Amino acid sequence: MTLLYIKALHIFFMVAWMSGIFYLPRLFIYHTLTPHQVVKDQFKVMERRLWFFITPFALLTLVFGVWLITLYGKEWFAVARWLHIKLSLVTLLYAYHIYLFFLMRAFAKDANKHSARFYRFLNETPVLIVLAIIGLAVIKYI
């Protein structure tokens, strides 16, 4: 029964984290497009608050994910090839999360070097990764 509670929490925190991961680059798009400094300053506040709001969700996703792997055991982990691929993709999401932090800091200094188009593509990247992660976790094939 504990396993199911841990799995539920892992999924909950992942969904909460992803909601922010999907929205933060959207804020970057709007931030890039506005010519008004007062609006840019408001976006800076929103971006910072969102990033620091979702970061604990990212950490809790990791904690409960590692806990799940521990509960399933070493033998299971060794043969779960799909999980190794999933973990590689999850690592990409954590790198993406950190990259968003550096982009947010550039916006905070009014030093953005990218176009709205760049952020539109950046906004779609985690969607594809999450689709692959969910597919691997549900189907467990490979």
Side-chain angles (χ1 to χ4, degrees):
M1 194 59 126
T2 301
L3 179 85
L4 296 177
Y5 288 112
I6 302 305
K7 192 180 288 190
L9 288 168
H10 175 66
I11 293 168
F12 170 77
F13 288 119
M14 184 274 304
V15 169
W17 176 34
M18 287 304 106
S19 65
I21 286 287
F22 294 157
Y23 188 55
L24 188 55
R26 180 64 42 191
L27 288 176
F28 293 161
I29 293 167
Y30 301 144
H31 193 153
T32 301
L33 294 174
T34 187
H36 307 289
Q37 189 59 44
V38 69
V39 177
K40 289 181 182 201
D41 291 341
Q42 184 60 47
F43 277 122
K44 291 175 190 178
V45 171
M46 293 169 64
E47 292 157 0
R48 187 183 77 250
R49 285 182 179 171
L50 180 59
W51 196 88
F52 284 104
F53 180 72
I54 64 171
T55 297
F57 297 143
L59 296 174
L60 288 167
T61 299
L62 180 64
V63 166
F64 286 104
V66 169
W67 195 350
L68 277 173
I69 291 169
T70 304
L71 289 174
Y72 276 105
K74 275 190 277 187
E75 296 79 25
W76 171 81
F77 180 75
V79 297
R81 204 171 99 199
W82 67 270
L83 182 62
H84 299 169
I85 297 167
K86 176 191 170 198
L87 291 174
S88 297
L89 294 171
V90 167
T91 302
L92 285 175
L93 282 179
Y94 280 98
Y96 180 86
H97 183 94
I98 293 165
Y99 181 59
L100 291 179
F101 175 77
F102 289 107
L103 292 171
M104 179 191 67
R105 283 185 41 196
F107 274 112
K109 297 175 188 172
D110 292 319
N112 172 44
K113 296 180 179 153
H114 304 289
S115 68
R117 186 171 189 220
F118 170 82
Y119 292 113
R120 287 184 207 286
F121 283 112
L122 189 69
N123 189 229
E124 301 305 323
T125 303
V127 174
L128 300 173
I129 295 171
V130 171
L131 175 62
I133 288 170
I134 292 171
L136 286 164
V138 171
I139 299 167
K140 294 176 176 53
Y141 181 75
I142 294 183

